[in-house]
C-alpha cells in the first residue's frame, strides 16, 4: 500500500505531457517511443522519444513525422489488413538491416540472401525471423518477405514485438520501425532514414525500451 502511494506521488509530481499520462508502460522501461496519431484513419503520426528520469518521462529531441499503415490504426489488427496495431510493445532484442551496423547498441544482423520474416499464419514459425539456404524456397508462404530483397525500407530496422507473447495465428506479423519509402506502410512505422538511424542509435537494450502507438485517446485509455 505504501509503495503504491509512493509511486502515485511521484507520477503526480511529474510534468504534464503525453508520456507521463500513459498507464501501461512497464515500470522497468527507461526508454520510450510514442507514436501519436490525430485520428485512427490516418497514415501520419508524431513520433517522440523519452527517457525516464527520477520516475518521470522527459522528452529527448524533437518530434518526428512518422508514416503508418495504409489503412491507419487498429486495435484488432489482422494479417494483411494494412493497419498499424495500437498498444504498447517491447523493442525486440535484435536489429536487422541491409546496410552495415549504423552504430546501434543492440545485437545486429546484416541481412543476406535467405533471410526471411515468416508471415504465413499456417506456419509454426509465424511472425519470426527465419534463415533458409540462399536460393531455396522457404517452407512457409503467405505474405512472407525476403528481407534482403528490400534495401530501401530496410537499411536498418527495429522489431516491434507485436503478437509475440504469445503468437496468435492471423493476428498480424512483421511490425517494424523502418525507413520511409515515400508513402504509407503496410502496417509498420517508418521514419526518414537519417531520423531512423538517430533513434536506433539512441536505444539501449539495458533500458528495456518500449513503443506506444495510438491516438491520444487510445494512448491514455
Amino acid at each position: 500500500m505504501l509503495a503504491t502511494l509512493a509511486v502515485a506521488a511521484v507520477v503526480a509530481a511529474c510534468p504534464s505531457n503525453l508520456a507521463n499520462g500513459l498507464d501501461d508502460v512497464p515500470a522497468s522501461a527507461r526508454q520510450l517511443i510514442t507514436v501519436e496519431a490525430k485520428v485512427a484513419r490516418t497514415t501520419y503520426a508524431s513520433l517522440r522519444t523519452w527517457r525516464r528520469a527520477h520516475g518521470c518521462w522527459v522528452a529527448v529531441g524533437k518530434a518526428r513525422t512518422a508514416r503508418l499503415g495504409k489503412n491507419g490504426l487498429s486495435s484488432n489488427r489482422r494479417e494483411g489488413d494494412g493497419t498499424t496495431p495500437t498498444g504498447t510493445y517491447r523493442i525486440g532484442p535484435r536489429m536487422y538491416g541491409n546496410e552495415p551496423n549504423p552504430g546501434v547498441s543492440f545485437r545486429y544482423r546484416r541481412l543476406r540472401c535467405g533471410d526471411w520474416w515468416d508471415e504465413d499464419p499456417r506456419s509454426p514459425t509465424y511472425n519470426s525471423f527465419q534463415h533458409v539456404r540462399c536460393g531455396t524456397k522457404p517452407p512457409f508462404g503467405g505474405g512472407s518477405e525476403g528481407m534482403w530483397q528490400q534495401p530501401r525500407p530496410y537499411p536498418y530496422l527495429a522489431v516491434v514485438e507485436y503478437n509475440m507473447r504469445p503468437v496468435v495465428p492471423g493476428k498480424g506479423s512483421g511490425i517494424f520501425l523502418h525507413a520511409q519509402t515515400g508513402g504509407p506502410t503496410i502496417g509498420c512505422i517508418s521514419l526518414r532514414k537519417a531520423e531512423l538511424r538517430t533513434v536506433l542509435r539512441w536505444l539501449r537494450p539495458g533500458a528495456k525500451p518500449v513503443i506506444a502507438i495510438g491516438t491520444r485517446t487510445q494512448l491514455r485509455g
Side-chain angles (χ1 to χ4, degrees):
M1 181 64 176
L2 290 176
T4 301
L5 291 173
V7 170
V10 169
V11 172
C14 292
S16 177
N17 59 41
L18 174 64
N20 285 319
L22 301 183
D23 294 326
D24 59 350
V25 177
S28 60
R30 299 198 309 278
Q31 288 184 320
L32 168 68
I33 300 171
T34 55
V35 181
E36 180 191 7
K38 291 183 178 179
V39 295
R41 298 293 289 182
T42 183
T43 67
Y44 289 88
S46 174
L47 184 148
R48 297 209 68 145
T49 50
W50 310 81
R51 63 180 178 86
R52 201 190 292 267
H54 307 295
C56 298
W57 289 110
V58 179
V60 177
K62 62 181 182 179
R64 300 171 171 91
T65 300
R67 299 303 303 269
L68 304 173
K70 61 184 180 181
N71 291 321
L73 297 171
S74 175
S75 59
N76 187 30
R77 188 178 198 276
R78 305 301 299 173
E79 187 66 48
D81 69 5
T83 66
T84 298
T86 59
T88 301
Y89 308 100
R90 303 180 198 183
I91 297 297
R94 184 186 297 271
M95 295 180 178
Y96 301 88
N98 282 289
E99 296 185 11
N101 187 335
V104 302
S105 297
F106 280 68
R107 289 181 292 161
Y108 186 84
R109 179 179 175 91
R110 177 86 179 267
L111 293 169
R112 64 203 73 167
C113 179
D115 284 353
W116 295 80
W117 198 269
D118 182 354
E119 301 184 43
D120 183 351
R122 301 164 300 176
S123 170
T125 56
Y126 177 58
N127 198 22
S128 68
F129 173 85
Q130 298 293 316
H131 178 79
V132 301
R133 186 165 58 86
C134 183
T136 301
K137 184 178 179 180
F140 40 83
S144 298
E145 190 170 40
M147 299 174 75
W148 82 99
Q149 298 171 321
Q150 304 291 334
R152 192 175 178 203
Y154 302 157
Y156 16 80
L157 64 89
V159 176
V160 176
E161 289 198 337
Y162 167 75
N163 192 27
M164 288 190 175
R165 300 171 186 271
V167 174
V168 178
K171 193 176 178 181
S173 59
I175 302 300
F176 308 136
L177 176 60
H178 66 67
Q180 291 180 357
T181 59
T185 72
I186 57 174
C188 296
I189 305 100
S190 66
L191 285 173
R192 292 185 179 92
K193 183 178 177 181
E195 294 180 330
L196 174 67
R197 183 169 58 244
T198 297
V199 171
L200 297 189
R201 285 174 173 171
W202 172 74
L203 292 170
R204 296 288 184 270
K208 300 181 180 179
V210 297
I211 184 167
I213 308 163
T215 64
R216 181 169 286 257
T217 300
Q218 290 170 329
L219 289 170
R220 295 203 165 184

